[in-house]
Amino acid sequence: MQYVSTRGSAPARDFEGVTLAGLASDGGLYVPAEWPRFTQAEIRALRGLAYPDLAARIMAPFVAGSLTEEELLAICHNVYGDFGHAAVTPLVQLDAQHWLLELFHGPTLAFKDVALQLLGRLFETFLERRGERLTIVGATSGDTGSAAIQAVAGLERVEIFMLHPKGRVSEVQRRQMTTVLSPNVHNLAIDGSFDDAQAHVKLMFTDPQVTGRLNLGAVNSINWARLMAQVVYYFASALQLGAPERTVAYCVPTGNFGDVFAGYIAARMGLPIERLIVATNINDILHRALSCGDYSAGGVTPTITPSMDIQVSSNFERLLFDAGGRDGAALAEQMRAFEATKAMRLTEAQAQAASALFTSARADQVETARAMQWAYRAAGQVIDPHTGVGLHGALSVAAAGIVPAGIPLVTLATAHPAKFPDAVERAIGVRPALPARVGDLFGRAESVTHLAGDYAATRDHVLDKAVGSQG
Ligand SMILES: *Cc1c(COP(=O)(O)O)cnc(C)c1O
């Protein structure tokens, strides 16, 4: 499989190339040159497969030429064999129409594990083949950092330096990072804000003292392999609910548009998806874009759903490319204008193609809490606030008849409620407990280095501790 850039001028690459590269050299994002299609009979034949076997079948066309089927299958068993639930992403029924797809049974209790655990193994496989090493540097305000650390802990050819603003991440989030005591994991607590930590990371990528010695990498949400891994649970859940004979709708709590774009990919591959509901909190650039074509960035307002507090949605560019007729030169122009003015309008073609599959919904704090209360009272389910934003969207589009009553409507449950215990307790009066397998989090030793907020201190520490890029 070859991949092309959404901005049309970077050279095409194979799966190994796009996994290691992340962003394309023209600033665009990689997408497959064409979508692999599964016939109805082929989809039917996937029924009953265990998750790791299904994952290998769904991802096979995307990795063709870079991994053999045996290699891919071994990686999938390795990655998905030790999730906290045998089904990996189990479905839970809420009522006659509504379901939850639990994506939080990985090591850090959020859906990002499903993709990042795979990405870690892919890095290791490709680096081994090339005799190279990779030094990942990143900044986190909470969730992504812990999922990335867990994804690479103990790997031979990857090391990770994760910066977080000292004292500004929750205790659960900090401990999920600092209690990973692997020699290739380095937690750095930086004086200052998340933006300060992020600025240090950006400077390292352009600092010749660093790039001259280290093969730097990132694990941000635009990496193609992450989206590919997320396609699998759309197939897994739809098959359980009767696909391909029955169509299924999904509601997805959305930030960077990665998780919901994976649903779009599944639809392009032939999975009969009735509708994809893009659920946002009050940071609603996507809701405005999909409901009236206005894609304009405002400031970010902090909410009880921090993983969806975004200003722009990086993966949205992939939809604009595909839905707008795959004209890289035109999209490059559109994105340049957006980057200059922080605002743009969708073209008629983009808006029409998007509305054929997507509907959007927005939830404020009160609506989010109400959905969490509904899940608890009507179905006995304790859900996290991100899932609450999604469920609010699902309940409202069902009430409006946008998804007919006979069609199952699945809300993606993106985090375990115990990751956000304060918000859950405020909404439903119940404090969720951590699952047993991470229940000793508060008793584990931590490893973290405190650094003053200046860039030179961060850089010198990384250069001192890094093993570097030699095989
Ligand atoms: C990252 C995240 C999201 C948003 O996912 P995107 O792929 O960025 O749209 C939603 N919920 C939780 C809990 C997350 O960690």
PDB file of all heavy atoms in Angstrom, residues 108-110 141-143 170 172-173 176 303-308 372 382-387 414-427 430-432 434:
ATOM      1  N   THR A 108      -3.604   2.414  30.371  1.00  0.00           N
ATOM      2  CA  THR A 108      -3.816   3.730  30.978  1.00  0.00           C
ATOM      3  C   THR A 108      -5.292   4.126  31.023  1.00  0.00           C
ATOM      4  O   THR A 108      -5.626   5.275  31.278  1.00  0.00           O
ATOM      5  CB  THR A 108      -3.010   4.843  30.268  1.00  0.00           C
ATOM      6  OG1 THR A 108      -3.598   5.103  28.980  1.00  0.00           O
ATOM      7  CG2 THR A 108      -1.565   4.439  30.069  1.00  0.00           C
ATOM      8  N   LEU A 109      -6.178   3.163  30.765  1.00  0.00           N
ATOM      9  CA  LEU A 109      -7.619   3.357  30.960  1.00  0.00           C
ATOM     10  C   LEU A 109      -8.248   4.378  30.016  1.00  0.00           C
ATOM     11  O   LEU A 109      -9.257   4.997  30.353  1.00  0.00           O
ATOM     12  CB  LEU A 109      -7.926   3.769  32.417  1.00  0.00           C
ATOM     13  CG  LEU A 109      -7.311   2.902  33.525  1.00  0.00           C
ATOM     14  CD1 LEU A 109      -7.713   3.446  34.886  1.00  0.00           C
ATOM     15  CD2 LEU A 109      -7.737   1.451  33.390  1.00  0.00           C
ATOM     16  N   ALA A 110      -7.667   4.580  28.835  1.00  0.00           N
ATOM     17  CA  ALA A 110      -8.309   5.434  27.833  1.00  0.00           C
ATOM     18  C   ALA A 110      -8.089   4.826  26.458  1.00  0.00           C
ATOM     19  O   ALA A 110      -7.208   4.001  26.255  1.00  0.00           O
ATOM     20  CB  ALA A 110      -7.775   6.860  27.891  1.00  0.00           C
ATOM     21  N   SER A 141      -0.402  17.336  28.667  1.00  0.00           N
ATOM     22  CA  SER A 141      -1.163  17.950  29.752  1.00  0.00           C
ATOM     23  C   SER A 141      -1.902  16.864  30.518  1.00  0.00           C
ATOM     24  O   SER A 141      -2.712  17.146  31.382  1.00  0.00           O
ATOM     25  CB  SER A 141      -2.140  18.977  29.168  1.00  0.00           C
ATOM     26  OG  SER A 141      -2.919  18.377  28.171  1.00  0.00           O
ATOM     27  N   GLY A 142      -1.631  15.600  30.163  1.00  0.00           N
ATOM     28  CA  GLY A 142      -2.279  14.524  30.907  1.00  0.00           C
ATOM     29  C   GLY A 142      -2.291  13.188  30.191  1.00  0.00           C
ATOM     30  O   GLY A 142      -1.360  12.407  30.297  1.00  0.00           O
ATOM     31  N   ASP A 143      -3.340  12.951  29.391  1.00  0.00           N
ATOM     32  CA  ASP A 143      -3.622  11.603  28.920  1.00  0.00           C
ATOM     33  C   ASP A 143      -2.670  11.009  27.886  1.00  0.00           C
ATOM     34  O   ASP A 143      -2.268   9.867  27.982  1.00  0.00           O
ATOM     35  CB  ASP A 143      -5.024  11.571  28.313  1.00  0.00           C
ATOM     36  CG  ASP A 143      -6.056  11.325  29.378  1.00  0.00           C
ATOM     37  OD1 ASP A 143      -5.659  11.171  30.548  1.00  0.00           O
ATOM     38  OD2 ASP A 143      -7.245  11.283  29.026  1.00  0.00           O
ATOM     39  N   SER A 170      -3.200  15.998  36.928  1.00  0.00           N
ATOM     40  CA  SER A 170      -3.832  15.396  38.103  1.00  0.00           C
ATOM     41  C   SER A 170      -2.927  14.308  38.665  1.00  0.00           C
ATOM     42  O   SER A 170      -2.015  13.812  37.992  1.00  0.00           O
ATOM     43  CB  SER A 170      -5.187  14.805  37.726  1.00  0.00           C
ATOM     44  OG  SER A 170      -4.998  13.567  37.074  1.00  0.00           O
ATOM     45  N   VAL A 172      -3.600  11.176  39.408  1.00  0.00           N
ATOM     46  CA  VAL A 172      -3.724   9.909  38.661  1.00  0.00           C
ATOM     47  C   VAL A 172      -2.910  10.001  37.376  1.00  0.00           C
ATOM     48  O   VAL A 172      -2.143   9.098  37.034  1.00  0.00           O
ATOM     49  CB  VAL A 172      -5.198   9.586  38.340  1.00  0.00           C
ATOM     50  CG1 VAL A 172      -5.301   8.404  37.374  1.00  0.00           C
ATOM     51  CG2 VAL A 172      -5.964   9.279  39.617  1.00  0.00           C
ATOM     52  N   GLN A 173      -3.067  11.114  36.665  1.00  0.00           N
ATOM     53  CA  GLN A 173      -2.338  11.269  35.401  1.00  0.00           C
ATOM     54  C   GLN A 173      -0.832  11.247  35.636  1.00  0.00           C
ATOM     55  O   GLN A 173      -0.093  10.588  34.899  1.00  0.00           O
ATOM     56  CB  GLN A 173      -2.748  12.579  34.716  1.00  0.00           C
ATOM     57  CG  GLN A 173      -4.157  12.503  34.134  1.00  0.00           C
ATOM     58  CD  GLN A 173      -4.621  13.827  33.577  1.00  0.00           C
ATOM     59  OE1 GLN A 173      -4.277  14.887  34.092  1.00  0.00           O
ATOM     60  NE2 GLN A 173      -5.409  13.786  32.534  1.00  0.00           N
ATOM     61  N   GLN A 176       0.350   7.752  36.504  1.00  0.00           N
ATOM     62  CA  GLN A 176       0.322   6.831  35.368  1.00  0.00           C
ATOM     63  C   GLN A 176       1.571   6.981  34.503  1.00  0.00           C
ATOM     64  O   GLN A 176       1.929   6.087  33.767  1.00  0.00           O
ATOM     65  CB  GLN A 176      -0.935   7.047  34.533  1.00  0.00           C
ATOM     66  CG  GLN A 176      -2.153   6.404  35.190  1.00  0.00           C
ATOM     67  CD  GLN A 176      -3.358   6.422  34.285  1.00  0.00           C
ATOM     68  OE1 GLN A 176      -3.642   7.424  33.648  1.00  0.00           O
ATOM     69  NE2 GLN A 176      -4.076   5.313  34.234  1.00  0.00           N
ATOM     70  N   THR A 303     -12.630  22.552  30.261  1.00  0.00           N
ATOM     71  CA  THR A 303     -13.881  21.880  30.626  1.00  0.00           C
ATOM     72  C   THR A 303     -13.570  20.645  31.476  1.00  0.00           C
ATOM     73  O   THR A 303     -12.407  20.325  31.721  1.00  0.00           O
ATOM     74  CB  THR A 303     -14.647  21.393  29.372  1.00  0.00           C
ATOM     75  OG1 THR A 303     -13.893  20.325  28.789  1.00  0.00           O
ATOM     76  CG2 THR A 303     -14.828  22.508  28.355  1.00  0.00           C
ATOM     77  N   ILE A 304     -14.636  19.911  31.853  1.00  0.00           N
ATOM     78  CA  ILE A 304     -14.438  18.653  32.582  1.00  0.00           C
ATOM     79  C   ILE A 304     -14.043  17.522  31.625  1.00  0.00           C
ATOM     80  O   ILE A 304     -13.874  16.390  32.044  1.00  0.00           O
ATOM     81  CB  ILE A 304     -15.695  18.237  33.380  1.00  0.00           C
ATOM     82  CG1 ILE A 304     -16.928  18.172  32.465  1.00  0.00           C
ATOM     83  CG2 ILE A 304     -15.918  19.178  34.545  1.00  0.00           C
ATOM     84  CD1 ILE A 304     -18.152  17.543  33.130  1.00  0.00           C
ATOM     85  N   THR A 305     -13.912  17.844  30.333  1.00  0.00           N
ATOM     86  CA  THR A 305     -13.467  16.862  29.341  1.00  0.00           C
ATOM     87  C   THR A 305     -12.191  17.379  28.679  1.00  0.00           C
ATOM     88  O   THR A 305     -12.203  17.767  27.499  1.00  0.00           O
ATOM     89  CB  THR A 305     -14.573  16.596  28.301  1.00  0.00           C
ATOM     90  OG1 THR A 305     -15.119  17.853  27.860  1.00  0.00           O
ATOM     91  CG2 THR A 305     -15.684  15.773  28.892  1.00  0.00           C
ATOM     92  N   PRO A 306     -11.074  17.384  29.424  1.00  0.00           N
ATOM     93  CA  PRO A 306      -9.851  18.053  28.950  1.00  0.00           C
ATOM     94  C   PRO A 306      -9.291  17.463  27.659  1.00  0.00           C
ATOM     95  O   PRO A 306      -8.650  18.183  26.895  1.00  0.00           O
ATOM     96  CB  PRO A 306      -8.868  17.852  30.115  1.00  0.00           C
ATOM     97  CG  PRO A 306      -9.415  16.720  30.922  1.00  0.00           C
ATOM     98  CD  PRO A 306     -10.904  16.795  30.766  1.00  0.00           C
ATOM     99  N   SER A 307      -9.545  16.180  27.404  1.00  0.00           N
ATOM    100  CA  SER A 307      -8.966  15.579  26.198  1.00  0.00           C
ATOM    101  C   SER A 307      -9.680  16.034  24.934  1.00  0.00           C
ATOM    102  O   SER A 307      -9.288  15.671  23.827  1.00  0.00           O
ATOM    103  CB  SER A 307      -9.005  14.057  26.297  1.00  0.00           C
ATOM    104  OG  SER A 307      -8.251  13.642  27.405  1.00  0.00           O
ATOM    105  N   MET A 308     -10.760  16.803  25.084  1.00  0.00           N
ATOM    106  CA  MET A 308     -11.470  17.330  23.925  1.00  0.00           C
ATOM    107  C   MET A 308     -11.380  18.852  23.883  1.00  0.00           C
ATOM    108  O   MET A 308     -12.057  19.481  23.068  1.00  0.00           O
ATOM    109  CB  MET A 308     -12.945  16.901  23.990  1.00  0.00           C
ATOM    110  CG  MET A 308     -13.092  15.394  23.985  1.00  0.00           C
ATOM    111  SD  MET A 308     -14.701  14.845  24.559  1.00  0.00           S
ATOM    112  CE  MET A 308     -15.729  15.470  23.252  1.00  0.00           C
ATOM    113  N   MET A 372     -24.618  11.704  31.873  1.00  0.00           N
ATOM    114  CA  MET A 372     -23.988  10.783  32.830  1.00  0.00           C
ATOM    115  C   MET A 372     -25.025  10.270  33.827  1.00  0.00           C
ATOM    116  O   MET A 372     -25.022   9.095  34.198  1.00  0.00           O
ATOM    117  CB  MET A 372     -22.836  11.501  33.562  1.00  0.00           C
ATOM    118  CG  MET A 372     -21.665  11.840  32.639  1.00  0.00           C
ATOM    119  SD  MET A 372     -20.520  13.052  33.349  1.00  0.00           S
ATOM    120  CE  MET A 372     -19.645  12.019  34.529  1.00  0.00           C
ATOM    121  N   VAL A 382     -21.773   3.663  35.177  1.00  0.00           N
ATOM    122  CA  VAL A 382     -21.006   4.847  35.559  1.00  0.00           C
ATOM    123  C   VAL A 382     -20.095   5.187  34.379  1.00  0.00           C
ATOM    124  O   VAL A 382     -19.279   4.351  33.979  1.00  0.00           O
ATOM    125  CB  VAL A 382     -20.169   4.572  36.819  1.00  0.00           C
ATOM    126  CG1 VAL A 382     -19.326   5.792  37.185  1.00  0.00           C
ATOM    127  CG2 VAL A 382     -21.078   4.175  37.983  1.00  0.00           C
ATOM    128  N   ILE A 383     -20.273   6.378  33.794  1.00  0.00           N
ATOM    129  CA  ILE A 383     -19.452   6.730  32.627  1.00  0.00           C
ATOM    130  C   ILE A 383     -18.632   7.983  32.900  1.00  0.00           C
ATOM    131  O   ILE A 383     -18.979   8.792  33.765  1.00  0.00           O
ATOM    132  CB  ILE A 383     -20.308   6.936  31.344  1.00  0.00           C
ATOM    133  CG1 ILE A 383     -21.284   8.096  31.520  1.00  0.00           C
ATOM    134  CG2 ILE A 383     -21.040   5.642  30.980  1.00  0.00           C
ATOM    135  CD1 ILE A 383     -22.018   8.461  30.226  1.00  0.00           C
ATOM    136  N   ASP A 384     -17.543   8.134  32.173  1.00  0.00           N
ATOM    137  CA  ASP A 384     -16.675   9.295  32.360  1.00  0.00           C
ATOM    138  C   ASP A 384     -17.267  10.485  31.588  1.00  0.00           C
ATOM    139  O   ASP A 384     -18.139  10.300  30.733  1.00  0.00           O
ATOM    140  CB  ASP A 384     -15.245   8.953  31.880  1.00  0.00           C
ATOM    141  CG  ASP A 384     -14.935   9.570  30.532  1.00  0.00           C
ATOM    142  OD1 ASP A 384     -15.459   9.063  29.523  1.00  0.00           O
ATOM    143  OD2 ASP A 384     -14.222  10.584  30.505  1.00  0.00           O
ATOM    144  N   PRO A 385     -16.830  11.716  31.888  1.00  0.00           N
ATOM    145  CA  PRO A 385     -17.436  12.878  31.217  1.00  0.00           C
ATOM    146  C   PRO A 385     -17.235  12.906  29.703  1.00  0.00           C
ATOM    147  O   PRO A 385     -18.119  13.406  28.981  1.00  0.00           O
ATOM    148  CB  PRO A 385     -16.769  14.080  31.892  1.00  0.00           C
ATOM    149  CG  PRO A 385     -15.786  13.559  32.867  1.00  0.00           C
ATOM    150  CD  PRO A 385     -15.947  12.108  33.010  1.00  0.00           C
ATOM    151  N   HIS A 386     -16.102  12.410  29.176  1.00  0.00           N
ATOM    152  CA  HIS A 386     -15.928  12.400  27.716  1.00  0.00           C
ATOM    153  C   HIS A 386     -17.002  11.517  27.073  1.00  0.00           C
ATOM    154  O   HIS A 386     -17.634  11.889  26.075  1.00  0.00           O
ATOM    155  CB  HIS A 386     -14.538  11.878  27.333  1.00  0.00           C
ATOM    156  CG  HIS A 386     -13.414  12.699  27.889  1.00  0.00           C
ATOM    157  ND1 HIS A 386     -12.968  12.559  29.175  1.00  0.00           N
ATOM    158  CD2 HIS A 386     -12.657  13.675  27.330  1.00  0.00           C
ATOM    159  CE1 HIS A 386     -11.984  13.416  29.396  1.00  0.00           C
ATOM    160  NE2 HIS A 386     -11.767  14.102  28.295  1.00  0.00           N
ATOM    161  N   THR A 387     -17.212  10.360  27.686  1.00  0.00           N
ATOM    162  CA  THR A 387     -18.273   9.469  27.211  1.00  0.00           C
ATOM    163  C   THR A 387     -19.626  10.157  27.376  1.00  0.00           C
ATOM    164  O   THR A 387     -20.531   9.978  26.546  1.00  0.00           O
ATOM    165  CB  THR A 387     -18.223   8.150  28.003  1.00  0.00           C
ATOM    166  OG1 THR A 387     -16.871   7.653  27.965  1.00  0.00           O
ATOM    167  CG2 THR A 387     -19.170   7.117  27.424  1.00  0.00           C
ATOM    168  N   THR A 414     -14.656   6.508  25.791  1.00  0.00           N
ATOM    169  CA  THR A 414     -13.236   6.723  25.513  1.00  0.00           C
ATOM    170  C   THR A 414     -12.343   6.688  26.746  1.00  0.00           C
ATOM    171  O   THR A 414     -11.130   6.575  26.609  1.00  0.00           O
ATOM    172  CB  THR A 414     -13.028   8.060  24.773  1.00  0.00           C
ATOM    173  OG1 THR A 414     -13.699   9.094  25.495  1.00  0.00           O
ATOM    174  CG2 THR A 414     -13.583   7.991  23.363  1.00  0.00           C
ATOM    175  N   ALA A 415     -12.907   6.811  27.932  1.00  0.00           N
ATOM    176  CA  ALA A 415     -12.071   6.743  29.142  1.00  0.00           C
ATOM    177  C   ALA A 415     -12.824   6.028  30.256  1.00  0.00           C
ATOM    178  O   ALA A 415     -14.057   6.058  30.314  1.00  0.00           O
ATOM    179  CB  ALA A 415     -11.673   8.145  29.598  1.00  0.00           C
ATOM    180  N   HIS A 416     -12.067   5.392  31.131  1.00  0.00           N
ATOM    181  CA  HIS A 416     -12.654   4.768  32.323  1.00  0.00           C
ATOM    182  C   HIS A 416     -13.069   5.872  33.295  1.00  0.00           C
ATOM    183  O   HIS A 416     -12.330   6.852  33.468  1.00  0.00           O
ATOM    184  CB  HIS A 416     -11.600   3.855  32.960  1.00  0.00           C
ATOM    185  CG  HIS A 416     -12.147   2.967  34.034  1.00  0.00           C
ATOM    186  ND1 HIS A 416     -12.503   3.443  35.279  1.00  0.00           N
ATOM    187  CD2 HIS A 416     -12.408   1.646  34.047  1.00  0.00           C
ATOM    188  CE1 HIS A 416     -12.964   2.437  36.010  1.00  0.00           C
ATOM    189  NE2 HIS A 416     -12.923   1.338  35.295  1.00  0.00           N
ATOM    190  N   PRO A 417     -14.226   5.737  33.941  1.00  0.00           N
ATOM    191  CA  PRO A 417     -14.675   6.816  34.837  1.00  0.00           C
ATOM    192  C   PRO A 417     -13.675   7.127  35.962  1.00  0.00           C
ATOM    193  O   PRO A 417     -13.591   8.282  36.406  1.00  0.00           O
ATOM    194  CB  PRO A 417     -16.000   6.285  35.400  1.00  0.00           C
ATOM    195  CG  PRO A 417     -16.042   4.822  35.068  1.00  0.00           C
ATOM    196  CD  PRO A 417     -15.215   4.655  33.839  1.00  0.00           C
ATOM    197  N   ALA A 418     -12.894   6.157  36.384  1.00  0.00           N
ATOM    198  CA  ALA A 418     -11.961   6.397  37.493  1.00  0.00           C
ATOM    199  C   ALA A 418     -10.808   7.316  37.105  1.00  0.00           C
ATOM    200  O   ALA A 418     -10.038   7.745  37.952  1.00  0.00           O
ATOM    201  CB  ALA A 418     -11.412   5.072  38.024  1.00  0.00           C
ATOM    202  N   LYS A 419     -10.687   7.628  35.807  1.00  0.00           N
ATOM    203  CA  LYS A 419      -9.676   8.612  35.414  1.00  0.00           C
ATOM    204  C   LYS A 419     -10.110  10.027  35.764  1.00  0.00           C
ATOM    205  O   LYS A 419      -9.295  10.930  35.839  1.00  0.00           O
ATOM    206  CB  LYS A 419      -9.430   8.553  33.897  1.00  0.00           C
ATOM    207  CG  LYS A 419      -8.453   7.494  33.506  1.00  0.00           C
ATOM    208  CD  LYS A 419      -7.845   7.765  32.150  1.00  0.00           C
ATOM    209  CE  LYS A 419      -6.420   8.265  32.300  1.00  0.00           C
ATOM    210  NZ  LYS A 419      -5.625   8.039  31.072  1.00  0.00           N
ATOM    211  N   PHE A 420     -11.426  10.218  35.903  1.00  0.00           N
ATOM    212  CA  PHE A 420     -11.971  11.560  36.178  1.00  0.00           C
ATOM    213  C   PHE A 420     -12.933  11.481  37.357  1.00  0.00           C
ATOM    214  O   PHE A 420     -14.115  11.827  37.245  1.00  0.00           O
ATOM    215  CB  PHE A 420     -12.654  12.110  34.911  1.00  0.00           C
ATOM    216  CG  PHE A 420     -11.717  12.162  33.739  1.00  0.00           C
ATOM    217  CD1 PHE A 420     -11.656  11.120  32.825  1.00  0.00           C
ATOM    218  CD2 PHE A 420     -10.836  13.233  33.589  1.00  0.00           C
ATOM    219  CE1 PHE A 420     -10.758  11.151  31.763  1.00  0.00           C
ATOM    220  CE2 PHE A 420      -9.930  13.265  32.529  1.00  0.00           C
ATOM    221  CZ  PHE A 420      -9.901  12.228  31.618  1.00  0.00           C
ATOM    222  N   PRO A 421     -12.423  11.033  38.531  1.00  0.00           N
ATOM    223  CA  PRO A 421     -13.313  10.727  39.657  1.00  0.00           C
ATOM    224  C   PRO A 421     -14.066  11.944  40.200  1.00  0.00           C
ATOM    225  O   PRO A 421     -15.218  11.812  40.610  1.00  0.00           O
ATOM    226  CB  PRO A 421     -12.358  10.139  40.707  1.00  0.00           C
ATOM    227  CG  PRO A 421     -10.998  10.610  40.325  1.00  0.00           C
ATOM    228  CD  PRO A 421     -11.012  10.757  38.830  1.00  0.00           C
ATOM    229  N   ASP A 422     -13.434  13.112  40.166  1.00  0.00           N
ATOM    230  CA  ASP A 422     -14.098  14.293  40.734  1.00  0.00           C
ATOM    231  C   ASP A 422     -15.315  14.687  39.896  1.00  0.00           C
ATOM    232  O   ASP A 422     -16.394  14.934  40.438  1.00  0.00           O
ATOM    233  CB  ASP A 422     -13.123  15.475  40.834  1.00  0.00           C
ATOM    234  CG  ASP A 422     -11.963  15.172  41.773  1.00  0.00           C
ATOM    235  OD1 ASP A 422     -12.161  14.365  42.726  1.00  0.00           O
ATOM    236  OD2 ASP A 422     -10.865  15.710  41.556  1.00  0.00           O
ATOM    237  N   ALA A 423     -15.123  14.731  38.577  1.00  0.00           N
ATOM    238  CA  ALA A 423     -16.243  15.114  37.700  1.00  0.00           C
ATOM    239  C   ALA A 423     -17.372  14.088  37.777  1.00  0.00           C
ATOM    240  O   ALA A 423     -18.548  14.437  37.748  1.00  0.00           O
ATOM    241  CB  ALA A 423     -15.755  15.264  36.263  1.00  0.00           C
ATOM    242  N   VAL A 424     -17.010  12.819  37.888  1.00  0.00           N
ATOM    243  CA  VAL A 424     -18.040  11.770  37.974  1.00  0.00           C
ATOM    244  C   VAL A 424     -18.814  11.911  39.277  1.00  0.00           C
ATOM    245  O   VAL A 424     -20.052  11.867  39.297  1.00  0.00           O
ATOM    246  CB  VAL A 424     -17.398  10.369  37.856  1.00  0.00           C
ATOM    247  CG1 VAL A 424     -18.438   9.285  38.113  1.00  0.00           C
ATOM    248  CG2 VAL A 424     -16.761  10.189  36.475  1.00  0.00           C
ATOM    249  N   GLU A 425     -18.093  12.120  40.365  1.00  0.00           N
ATOM    250  CA  GLU A 425     -18.761  12.235  41.670  1.00  0.00           C
ATOM    251  C   GLU A 425     -19.693  13.444  41.704  1.00  0.00           C
ATOM    252  O   GLU A 425     -20.810  13.361  42.217  1.00  0.00           O
ATOM    253  CB  GLU A 425     -17.720  12.321  42.797  1.00  0.00           C
ATOM    254  CG  GLU A 425     -18.354  12.264  44.177  1.00  0.00           C
ATOM    255  CD  GLU A 425     -17.327  12.116  45.300  1.00  0.00           C
ATOM    256  OE1 GLU A 425     -16.115  12.293  45.051  1.00  0.00           O
ATOM    257  OE2 GLU A 425     -17.763  11.820  46.433  1.00  0.00           O
ATOM    258  N   ARG A 426     -19.234  14.550  41.109  1.00  0.00           N
ATOM    259  CA  ARG A 426     -20.095  15.743  41.076  1.00  0.00           C
ATOM    260  C   ARG A 426     -21.368  15.483  40.270  1.00  0.00           C
ATOM    261  O   ARG A 426     -22.438  15.965  40.609  1.00  0.00           O
ATOM    262  CB  ARG A 426     -19.345  16.941  40.476  1.00  0.00           C
ATOM    263  CG  ARG A 426     -18.650  17.805  41.536  1.00  0.00           C
ATOM    264  CD  ARG A 426     -18.305  19.192  40.982  1.00  0.00           C
ATOM    265  NE  ARG A 426     -17.521  19.120  39.770  1.00  0.00           N
ATOM    266  CZ  ARG A 426     -16.196  18.932  39.743  1.00  0.00           C
ATOM    267  NH1 ARG A 426     -15.516  18.795  40.870  1.00  0.00           N
ATOM    268  NH2 ARG A 426     -15.553  18.876  38.594  1.00  0.00           N
ATOM    269  N   ALA A 427     -21.258  14.702  39.207  1.00  0.00           N
ATOM    270  CA  ALA A 427     -22.426  14.488  38.337  1.00  0.00           C
ATOM    271  C   ALA A 427     -23.415  13.484  38.911  1.00  0.00           C
ATOM    272  O   ALA A 427     -24.624  13.680  38.837  1.00  0.00           O
ATOM    273  CB  ALA A 427     -21.970  14.034  36.948  1.00  0.00           C
ATOM    274  N   VAL A 430     -21.414   9.384  42.908  1.00  0.00           N
ATOM    275  CA  VAL A 430     -20.702   8.125  43.153  1.00  0.00           C
ATOM    276  C   VAL A 430     -19.250   8.324  42.751  1.00  0.00           C
ATOM    277  O   VAL A 430     -18.971   8.876  41.682  1.00  0.00           O
ATOM    278  CB  VAL A 430     -21.300   6.975  42.296  1.00  0.00           C
ATOM    279  CG1 VAL A 430     -20.457   5.719  42.403  1.00  0.00           C
ATOM    280  CG2 VAL A 430     -22.735   6.700  42.704  1.00  0.00           C
ATOM    281  N   ARG A 431     -18.317   7.907  43.618  1.00  0.00           N
ATOM    282  CA  ARG A 431     -16.894   8.037  43.278  1.00  0.00           C
ATOM    283  C   ARG A 431     -16.400   6.710  42.711  1.00  0.00           C
ATOM    284  O   ARG A 431     -16.354   5.708  43.410  1.00  0.00           O
ATOM    285  CB  ARG A 431     -16.090   8.424  44.516  1.00  0.00           C
ATOM    286  CG  ARG A 431     -14.705   8.930  44.151  1.00  0.00           C
ATOM    287  CD  ARG A 431     -14.010   9.648  45.302  1.00  0.00           C
ATOM    288  NE  ARG A 431     -12.703  10.112  44.862  1.00  0.00           N
ATOM    289  CZ  ARG A 431     -12.458  11.250  44.227  1.00  0.00           C
ATOM    290  NH1 ARG A 431     -13.457  12.064  43.965  1.00  0.00           N
ATOM    291  NH2 ARG A 431     -11.236  11.583  43.852  1.00  0.00           N
ATOM    292  N   PRO A 432     -16.025   6.681  41.410  1.00  0.00           N
ATOM    293  CA  PRO A 432     -15.623   5.415  40.800  1.00  0.00           C
ATOM    294  C   PRO A 432     -14.252   4.959  41.290  1.00  0.00           C
ATOM    295  O   PRO A 432     -13.357   5.782  41.499  1.00  0.00           O
ATOM    296  CB  PRO A 432     -15.583   5.737  39.302  1.00  0.00           C
ATOM    297  CG  PRO A 432     -15.402   7.210  39.222  1.00  0.00           C
ATOM    298  CD  PRO A 432     -15.986   7.816  40.459  1.00  0.00           C
ATOM    299  N   LEU A 434     -10.667   2.766  40.923  1.00  0.00           N
ATOM    300  CA  LEU A 434      -9.770   2.273  39.878  1.00  0.00           C
ATOM    301  C   LEU A 434      -9.950   0.767  39.746  1.00  0.00           C
ATOM    302  O   LEU A 434     -10.146   0.074  40.744  1.00  0.00           O
ATOM    303  CB  LEU A 434      -8.312   2.569  40.249  1.00  0.00           C
ATOM    304  CG  LEU A 434      -7.826   4.003  40.077  1.00  0.00           C
ATOM    305  CD1 LEU A 434      -6.492   4.200  40.784  1.00  0.00           C
ATOM    306  CD2 LEU A 434      -7.700   4.368  38.607  1.00  0.00           C
TER     307      LEU A 434
END
